Amino acid sequence: MTTATSSLSPDQVRRFEQDGYLFPVPVLDEAEIKAGMTAFMAHKTRHDARLAQMAAREKYQVFSQTHFAYPWVYRIASHPRVLDAVESVLGPNVLAWDSNWFVKMPGEKTYVSWHQDGTYWNLNPPSVVSAWISLERAFPGNGCMRVIPGTHTKPRLPQRETYATDNALSRGQEIAVEVDEARAVDLVLAPGEMSLHHIWIVHGSNANTSNVPRIGIAIRYVKPEVVQDSPLKPIAMLVRGRDDHGHFELQRPPTEQSPDAMDATHREIVARIRATVMKNAKA
Ligand SMILES: O=C(O)CCC(=O)C(=O)O
């Protein structure tokens, strides 16, 4: 059941700060879930031939930064209920900096190794929150996200880059020390619900061994104060409040165009971001 606002209570904000994650937060209603799913499947189907040739870690070319190019994703990234919750954590001024669909269809071996996002994002201060919004059910059988509570307060852990074929992360990065999986919490979500996670929480997910697709988008929101250490001026989109800092080149919300025109915009954006976040990564 969705309500008019999704602002977090002081207790929810305290739990997010203490644990490094919070779930579930209901955000999309039934019509929005259906519209999102229809648009997502059309996007995926249009790119299925390319996707079939790609290792899991290369699929960002099709699935990341879509909020900059496709109005249907922008509508999710700028959804008032999503932003109410994000504002409770970040304050009144919010930029949508990055997004990534994490998709595991039945039969796919895709997994996400344990990692900390902060290691590669070069964002300071860490006033960043990821909203993981589910269009389908997410549960242990289809490889829902898992977190290790409280690990966002620990120092950065060593990570190695594996470039493993079925790892959905762009570098196949994984934490190089033992992770106490007995402490892992499964972020179980119903369609239309989201979880929030901190930029330094240790998280990952297993493969989908069920017949239920796992389809969710992780949208990264930052405060305008945040600086990204980057060879090019990074881009972002103002989704709430104002930006008095100018650390990011602000992009306009995408407009409805032909699928080919939107795909072309998307390819340009992905290439530009690859040159910033993915510097020093293997091809
Ligand atoms: O979807 C997943 O399983 C992992 C998502 C993730 O790593 C992230 O949102 O930072």
Side-chain angles (χ1 to χ4, degrees):
M1 219 1 215
T2 49
T3 52
T5 170
S6 282
S7 296
L8 304 181
S9 66
D11 182 55
Q12 285 176 306
V13 174
R14 189 191 53 72
R15 274 168 35 217
F16 175 79
E17 283 165 1
Q18 176 186 297
D19 301 335
Y21 67 94
L22 184 80
F23 80 109
V25 181
V27 283
L28 305 181
D29 65 23
E30 261 178 49
E32 291 162 341
I33 297 164
K34 196 162 168 230
M37 190 60 113
T38 304
F40 174 81
M41 290 312 292
H43 180 76
K44 181 176 170 311
T45 303
R46 226 176 38 257
H47 295 282
D48 262 347
R50 274 176 83 202
L51 288 165
Q53 308 298 318
M54 291 173 165
R57 68 181 159 78
E58 294 166 340
K59 294 186 179 167
Y60 69 87
Q61 295 171 34
V62 172
F63 288 137
S64 73
Q65 317 311 341
T66 51
H67 69 290
F68 288 117
Y70 303 98
W72 63 275
V73 187
Y74 169 74
R75 281 194 284 279
I76 298 175
S78 61
H79 195 293
R81 280 191 290 270
V82 174
L83 295 179
D84 286 345
V86 170
E87 178 175 345
S88 302
V89 174
L90 291 184
N93 303 314
V94 178
L95 303 177
W97 166 69
D98 172 284
S99 70
N100 210 321
W101 289 95
F102 282 96
V103 181
K104 299 178 194 166
M105 300 308 277
E108 287 179 356
K109 299 196 192 102
T110 308
Y111 66 94
V112 176
S113 46
W114 292 113
H115 68 286
Q116 287 174 306
D117 293 327
T119 310
Y120 294 98
W121 288 355
N122 303 321
L123 295 173
N124 270 301
S127 303
V128 184
V129 65
S130 290
W132 201 102
I133 303 162
S134 205
L135 291 182
E136 249 297 351
R137 287 194 297 138
F139 58 102
N142 69 356
C144 64
M145 228 179 81
R146 312 179 77 205
V147 297
I148 311 288
T151 42
H152 62 303
T153 60
K154 301 267 173 4
R156 163 198 291 231
L157 294 170
Q159 269 183 197
R160 58 178 162 242
E161 299 177 1
T162 70
Y163 294 91
T165 307
D166 293 320
N167 194 328
L169 299 179
S170 51
R171 306 167 192 238
Q173 57 267 40
E174 63 183 26
I175 288 178
V177 292
E178 200 173 331
V179 171
D180 184 2
E181 295 204 16
R183 295 186 51 232
V185 172
D186 292 316
L187 303 189
V188 173
L189 299 173
E193 290 182 342
M194 72 174 180
S195 55
L196 299 176
H197 65 274
H198 189 278
I199 182 172
W200 285 105
I201 190 97
V202 172
H203 62 293
S205 64
N206 294 323
N208 183 355
T209 55
S210 78
N211 56 11
V212 180
R214 198 208 69 154
I215 301 173
I217 184 168
I219 305 171
R220 328 298 183 172
Y221 297 96
V222 304
K223 279 188 181 192
E225 286 88 328
V226 169
V227 175
Q228 183 182 5
D229 175 17
S230 156
L232 293 177
K233 186 159 186 176
I235 64 172
M237 197 180 282
L238 183 65
V239 284
R240 191 159 271 190
R242 49 194 285 174
D243 177 357
D244 292 330
H245 296 267
H247 296 158
F248 296 84
E249 184 183 299
L250 298 184
Q251 304 294 296
R252 290 216 179 88
T255 51
E256 209 60 62
Q257 294 176 73
S258 70
D260 284 350
M262 292 188 291
D263 286 349
T265 305
H266 181 233
R267 276 196 301 275
E268 273 169 34
I269 297 269
V270 169
R272 174 166 177 172
I273 292 175
R274 189 176 163 77
T276 58
V277 173
M278 294 293 285
K279 67 177 176 172
N280 306 327
K282 281 191 204 167

